[in-house]
Amino acid sequence: MKAWEATVRKTQAAAKKRAHSLFGTTYVAHAEDDDDDKEDESHDRGQGKGPGEIYIADRVLANGDYYTGHWSDNFPHGLGKYLWTDGCMYIGEWYGGKTMGKGRFSWPSGATYEGEFKSGYMDGKGTYTGPNGETYKGLWVMNLKHGHGIKTYANGDCYDGEWCRGLQEGHGKYQWSNGNHYVGEWKNGSICGKGTFIWSNGNRFDGYWEDGLPKGNGTFRWENGSTYVGNWSRDPNEQNGTYFPMGSSTPEENLDWDPQDVFNVDLGDCKVCPNEKVPIMPSQKKLAVWRSTKAADSNVRPRRMSVDGRLDAGEDKEFNRMRMLEGGVGASSTWECFDRNLTVGREMENGLAGVQLEDACKRGSAIRIPNVVKRQGVTISKGHKNYELMLNLQLGIRHSVGRPGPVATLDLKAAAFDPKEKVWTKFPADGSKYTPPHQSCEFRWKDYCPLVFRTLRKLFNVDAADYMISICGDDALRELSSPGKSGSFFYLTDDDRYMIKTMKKAEVKVLLRMLSAYYNHVRAFENTLVTKFYGLHCVKLNGPAQKKVRFIIMGNLFCSEYTIHRRYDLKGSSLGRITDKPEAEIDATTILKDLDLNFLFRLQRTWFQEFRRQLDRDCEFLEQERIMDYSLLVGLHFRDSTNSGNLILSGDPTPSTDDGDRETEPSAPRLSRAAVDQLLSDPEGWASIRLGINMPARVERTERKLDCEFQLVGEPTGEYYDVVMFFGIIDILQDYDITKKLEHAYKSIQYDPTSISAVDPKQYSRRFRDFILKVFEEDA
């Protein structure tokens, strides 16, 4: 024990000397203070202050970290500096123990980030300077480049354009140090799409690219005006084109030039520089703070907390074992001004002159996570009324997907979309030349537009083998407990990846009518929010009834490793748009409606802009196809809660497990905040995030006025919660037919016409979009 105490004292003394050298003449307790009650903390001007009061603190913490600046409730709050023992340092604004606002983070390698922070992440406008001198200046979202930015590489190359999740994506210009440059489209960090490459010698290529190389139609033009036009490919067998001499429209066949030289010679040294890898992000750094706001006990060792406010669930780790960037950089003059401001503030009685801190949010009653149902639906086992139907469905899917087909190409002919394009297959119980024997009754199987749906599965990156295993594997389907309002039944695959819905004949006709437009829409817009369809089929049972069951296979929006705690079906209408269940019966699978909604959804700026653009495109598509009565299905996974199930406000520190708030555990496991952030800090984890899927966001609680019965959007309360969001547009097969027109006429007599769902598609689209953009907002 004495040896350990001696080690701690040496660590503290070294930290204090380092603090003197880094922070100038700011007050730090003397290294020779060996009293037990001063061993864990240095001088604190705010000792004895009450909860919520802000004061100046100078602290050398028990693990050797050092902090100086504004302090409140045992957390950095205001302006302050924090130095970790491994040499990382943050100088800037804090809120409730999180880096929030403008600040500067530096690594021991010399790498620095100066700009905006949010909840511990580099988020907003900022400049990153690497240890090798490369810089990025632009927009960030959760530690990753996202939005417009300019990247200057160490070798002199430069990229100016759009970024998405840390990689070049969208439109951008890349300038090589040798004078060559490319202007055009990018995807996942590579040149991909339509663009122009111009060499320093005056030659240029205009056309399509894939994975950094010409692919498809394109024109190579020499400086003298000669051109080569054709189809380009890295494979010489797929390469073909025509050469036109300068000033001539007549092609010339004898060309002493090989188009493959463009790949092997001209583009040989034009490689895009890889992006830097930062092993330790600011949000992953830990703070050594006290576990509660009660009087500190010097005998209790403080727990570590990350910069974004999480308490570390495990033992303290030695930071000198973590991989760091290498090099060194001094502090900028911007933060020297902060030193002077902080010193002046420390000399003042209250220490708060010139510092504006956010007022505490108004807090209503606590929101609890609802009961979680571990397995949704009833397994269809032998004896179930739909057991044979399930067997028929699985046999048909296995036959359809496994049957050899033409080589898939995304360019489909009009004949493939013909409603008459369908294939009937007979499944006798004893089997046939094309079908296996089975234990079910004899039935007939119909595939609608099989080539189109095969191509859609390819477009949506669905592996045929995985698709068959999910639907036709050893595990049975699950039937949801009750049919939807339309009378359709829903089935889920055992792995929750796919949902199967029975359909009316009218719905099948609508889908076949709009199938070509649907295909072109989802092909053109990768981030479309409309439901993904994978197959349209029919089972015809033999016998006197000759029963036909038509069904569609769709992606399950809520298939995720996250537990979905809240589900909302939003249309923008008020009549009948409230759940008729008592509060006690509402669980995590209950579909809540417009008048049940008590949140505003706040997305990061770039995500909100993309959401708004895509919502416009999808609504325009549905309006043109005369579709109405669709809705936005929203699922929320709350990232922070106490052990008793109460949600924790965004910005509040996560309580430790021994705070005395231990009650019953939630009925199903949830990903911890640390696990979620570990996923989000990993670029591979970000690959799973796209518009409407696995999206980190915040929600703000709202309250409706008591005197306004049908108020669609409540008043914001200022209470925010961190969530992972899922959303998509569903039920897109309701045509505005004569039935809906009569419904509209009838209900308009009894109710306000603007409150009912059955309205003209143009009016429905406008009302739906306006409502969604009231409940979705940009996160300031």
Side-chain angles (χ1 to χ4, degrees), residues 33-59:
D33 292 340
D34 293 332
D35 297 339
D36 290 341
D37 58 345
K38 295 181 181 180
E39 210 168 59
D40 291 327
E41 291 190 52
S42 59
H43 180 77
D44 188 346
R45 280 179 172 267
Q47 288 179 350
K49 295 284 185 180
E53 294 190 53
I54 304 170
Y55 52 92
I56 297 295
D58 289 301
R59 295 193 174 187

Side-chain angles (χ1 to χ4, degrees), residues 486 488-491 499-504 507 536-537 549-554 731-733:
S486 64
S488 299
F489 283 85
F490 292 86
Y491 304 92
M499 180 174 286
I500 302 168
K501 175 189 176 185
T502 61
M503 301 179 70
K504 297 178 180 178
E507 292 178 310
L536 180 61
H537 313 281
V549 180
R550 303 170 183 87
F551 54 89
I552 185 80
I553 302 177
M554 308 175 289
D731 295 336
I732 64 170
L733 299 179

Side-chain angles (χ1 to χ4, degrees), residues 483-679:
K485 185 178 179 182
S486 64
S488 299
F489 283 85
F490 292 86
Y491 304 92
L492 283 172
T493 57
D494 187 71
D495 59 6
D496 287 336
R497 293 179 64 183
Y498 303 104
M499 180 174 286
I500 302 168
K501 175 189 176 185
T502 61
M503 301 179 70
K504 297 178 180 178
K505 187 176 181 179
E507 292 178 310
V508 173
K509 287 184 176 180
V510 170
L511 178 55
L512 293 176
R513 186 203 72 201
M514 62 182 284
L515 188 57
S516 178
Y518 171 83
Y519 177 82
N520 292 330
H521 182 77
V522 298
R523 183 182 177 187
F525 303 111
E526 184 181 13
N527 287 330
T528 181
L529 300 174
V530 299
T531 308
K532 289 181 169 54
F533 295 132
Y534 300 120
L536 180 61
H537 313 281
C538 175
V539 171
K540 183 178 181 181
L541 304 178
N542 284 352
Q546 293 285 303
K547 180 181 178 182
K548 284 185 179 180
V549 180
R550 303 170 183 87
F551 54 89
I552 185 80
I553 302 177
M554 308 175 289
N556 179 16
L557 182 65
F558 294 154
C559 177
S560 172
E561 59 212 19
Y562 302 106
T563 301
I564 304 299
H565 299 125
R566 285 287 187 192
R567 303 165 192 244
Y568 294 95
D569 182 276
L570 306 175
K571 291 186 177 182
S573 56
S574 58
L575 183 62
R577 301 296 296 164
I578 192 169
T579 304
D580 55 1
K581 282 186 176 182
E583 183 68 27
E585 296 181 13
I586 294 178
D587 58 34
T589 63
T590 302
I591 304 294
L592 303 172
K593 300 179 183 178
D594 300 66
L595 294 178
D596 301 307
L597 182 63
N598 59 340
F599 292 111
L600 296 176
F601 310 117
R602 301 196 178 275
L603 304 180
Q604 297 280 355
R605 176 175 50 202
T606 51
W607 280 121
F608 177 76
Q609 292 170 350
E610 175 60 26
F611 170 73
R612 186 167 186 163
R613 287 193 295 267
Q614 192 57 54
L615 184 68
D616 288 341
R617 295 163 182 159
D618 292 338
C619 287
E620 182 181 0
F621 159 69
L622 295 171
E623 180 184 329
Q624 289 176 351
E625 294 304 311
R626 302 290 294 168
I627 302 298
M628 43 79 65
D629 213 25
Y630 46 87
S631 56
L632 188 76
L633 185 64
V634 179
L636 302 179
H637 167 86
F638 292 97
R639 295 173 61 181
D640 290 317
S641 69
T642 64
N643 288 333
S644 60
N646 290 330
L647 296 183
I648 299 173
L649 290 170
S650 175
D652 281 0
T654 305
S656 62
T657 56
D658 49 2
D659 281 339
D661 192 21
R662 188 191 301 262
E663 295 180 19
T664 58
E665 294 290 333
S667 57
R670 299 192 311 120
L671 282 184
S672 67
R673 173 70 180 266
V676 172
D677 284 333
Q678 181 63 34
L679 174 68

